[in-house]
Amino acid sequence: MKKKKLLFLLFNILFLALTNSIAQKPIEITSSEIYAKLQKLGNLGSVLYIAAHPDDENTSVISYFNNYKHFNTTYLSLTRGDGGQNLIGPEIRELLGIIRTQELLAARRIDGGNQVFSRANDFGYSKGPEETFRIWDKDSVLYDIVWAIRCLKPDIIINRFDHRTPGTTHGHHTGSAMLSFEAFDMAGNPDIFPGQLKYTEVWQPKRLFFNTSWWFYGSREKFEEANKDNLTSLDIGAYYPLLGQSNNEISAKSRSQHRCQGFGRLGSRGSEIEYFEFLKGEKPSGDQPFAGINTSWDRINGGSEIQAKIDRIIQSFNFEAPHKIIPDLMNLYQSIKMLDHNPYKEKKLGECKEIIQACTGLFLEAKTNNHKIVPGEEIMIDFELINRSNSNIDVHKIIILPVDKEIEWKEKLPFNRVLSKQISVTLPSNATYTNPYWLNQEGTLGLYSVQDKQLIGMPETPRYLSVQYELEIEGVKILIDRDVVFKSGEPDKGEVYKPLEVIPEYTIEMQNPILFFSEENRKTLNVKVNHHINNDNTDTLLLKLPDGFIAEPTYHLLSGENYQDLFSFEITAPEKEQKQEVLAEIHTKDGNIYSRTMHSISYDHIPEQTVLQPAATTLVRLQIKSTVDKIGYIQGAGDRIPEFLKEIGIQCDLLSLSDIPTTELNQYDAFIFGIRALNTLDGIDNAMPALLEYAKNGGNLILQYNTNRGVKTENFSPYPLTISRDRVTDENSPVKILDPDHQVLNTPNSINESDFKNWVQERGLYFPGTWSDKFDTVIAFKDPGEEYLPSGLLIAPYGKGNYVYTGISWFRELPAGVPGAFKLFVNILSLSTINN
């Protein structure tokens, strides 16, 4: 295949990603927005903003460059935020990364920027770039940054963090800046990552900046005193009359899309200065980052004519009748198409198409009544086309991709009258499933595996089924692409769009998140089978068990008649203590194997997401004792601890703060607050006195980690205690037993250093920084090169009972089935029952 063709295909993939239009409700563009897009069409400036995580980006800067300067502005987030915490639900790790990916896309839909990623996995907090680079695989992430630069071709790159300050902030933060600093020069060198040049060309950005502020200087006073000779500044507090909003207001709305991190912001107005420190490249000839860079069409051969046409179109634009510029737009489209290959051609053709569709009021939709479809299944696609302008538009044909089904449709699109057609399509038997592409293969702790290198950087997987409309507008042929979507009318929401998703014939739900073998060596594993297409096959469900475990029966035959079946296996465990994993598989008569569980992530602020992961359950063989029968659990930001406690035989009642005044608290052996309860629960200050009194009267009150900002009550502890940002990020770090005779390390389970092996992601976070001497410290953790921190678990006798504050990451360790974490957690729960 010729390089030009490959570049065209690559651009189409990137354009889908950057416009963030996949499976969204059709965007309704006003005349004011069309006018702004025309201004952007006449500008070839490009900005790449680089940082480490979702929420690191400066939405004010992105909005300013996009909406005020009309530059193509992209945020490269090296990670998807998988290692963070979730304020709105129980999803962690990969599922949290999917939520944060979608929140970034929602943010970009507001501020107008584009969004790309690298393959770097957010493995959790890192205290230095050396660790970050070792776990990420530095060369691979450099590859991805260079790839982004070569594909997006920015004039300037802006780092969010300072590459010269390792150890002063998150290692991912400093690491992102250090890698950007290196990649700036590498992108223009053809000898570096030459394999990329099959798909794109080398590109040398003009300048690299650091988006600094007083925060990086330690205080506003120090920043005022600092030498600013190497700094340029912008007042990004612009007001946009066409949009009726200030840049600050748009920025706040964009930032507020990071809901799982609790970053809702009030909008602001007025002047706001941003500073940019010049790092390398061609130093600006003026006092702004783009000073001296030609951002007009004049920068390319043949561009002067294009610029002149765009200027004339802008001057003649009629806000009440935008369709009047369609003849000139079609002429412009042809002129851009006839240009020789250049770095801007395909991007500007895409923008031109978008403006043409908006000016004509053109509505093109391919919808189905199916939200999910199985390979080999037939579906009906309903096509609806309407021309809401006086422009001359003819339909020639529609092409359904990737099945390459062409339908001739020679018809004129009359003014404001719907043309419709219904066509059946059978999905190929080898159609790829809907799934985040970075989760299709197993990666490493720090890097996702992506086999198709052309997908690297894309925020989402392109949808499998799409439609290409071949139209003729004012005598000019044009191809317009649309995804096939599912659309429904819901009584409480009206018109609802969802993506069409390709799923396996079978998906499997393991009903037990963990099987805990303690005194007994036999447990029941329940497996639900979802059959997504009707057939008469009798297929087989079986388990892939680790050595030493036995299942009875060894398999189940599926009837083929029901869409959902529940089966049970009796699992017998060996005597040896261990943690293993069991996988479920369905083997069909035609030789296919299905082994995925299907997760649906649904929140109002992002599109519904479907994720396929291995159908697995953790098997833990461990002699664990408990003196606890029943506990009360008050969820905070959301975690899955209650369902895992139930698996070891502890009744777990989920309560709300409003239940406290009317509940007999003494019926519970312990009360637990879920993660970030102090940050998220309104009214916790009113409920806390009753719960502290419960502890004083002989109960056991346990608070898990909270962040040190946004605490809704200061009266959460019977004794002085302040929360800090201290944490231990190395899950394999050494542990020091401080008080080996303390009952929490001995009763009912004996705890020693071996119980802290094979933990996941981290030891804990937001440990208390100061605490009363009324608290016992029993264990201490440390990161390499640091002092031991003894405050991860604080226990204070209080009256007849106990108060416990713990920053240990139980919300990660228990779902991962870490045996030692279970033993210690049960010991904490057992404190009050032992004392009484």
Side-chain angles (χ1 to χ4, degrees), residues 106-124:
R108 298 294 82 79
R109 284 191 287 273
I110 290 172
D111 60 38
N114 309 312
Q115 183 64 54
V116 293
F117 294 89
S118 83
R119 289 169 292 170
N121 186 358
D122 178 3
F123 55 85

Side-chain angles (χ1 to χ4, degrees), residues 728 730-736 756 763 780-784 788:
V728 177
D730 185 351
E731 62 271 24
N732 299 309
S733 60
V735 176
K736 181 185 289 186
F756 296 93
R763 295 295 191 188
F781 305 109
K782 71 184 293 292
D783 272 326
Y788 277 99

Side-chain angles (χ1 to χ4, degrees), residues 554-565:
T554 55
Y555 64 89
H556 285 282
L557 292 178
L558 311 183
S559 65
E561 298 175 354
N562 300 324
Y563 283 98
Q564 196 173 78
D565 281 307

Side-chain angles (χ1 to χ4, degrees), residues 255-272:
R255 182 76 170 169
S256 296
Q257 298 309 300
H258 296 298
R259 296 186 190 177
C260 74
Q261 301 182 72
F263 281 158
R265 277 177 50 185
L266 287 172
S268 62
R269 286 144 288 277
S271 177
E272 185 176 325

Side-chain angles (χ1 to χ4, degrees), residues 3 146 149-151 153 185-194 196-197 199-205 343:
K3 182 175 179 179
V146 170
I149 294 170
R150 288 173 174 174
C151 291
K153 299 176 171 52
D185 297 314
M186 298 169 72
N189 186 340
D191 295 327
I192 294 175
F193 306 130
Q196 295 181 357
L197 304 184
Y199 311 107
T200 187
E201 308 100 347
V202 295
W203 180 260
Q204 183 55 59

Side-chain angles (χ1 to χ4, degrees), residues 594-615:
Y594 298 96
S595 58
R596 304 281 192 97
T597 190
M598 184 166 65
H599 302 280
S600 290
I601 301 175
S602 182
Y603 291 97
D604 288 342
H605 66 300
I606 61 174
E608 182 176 313
Q609 301 295 301
T610 295
V611 188
L612 298 171
Q613 292 184 310

Side-chain angles (χ1 to χ4, degrees), residues 232 330 408 454 493 676:
T232 61
M330 300 314 299
E408 296 291 329
Q454 292 183 74
K493 296 180 180 178
R676 298 183 73 172

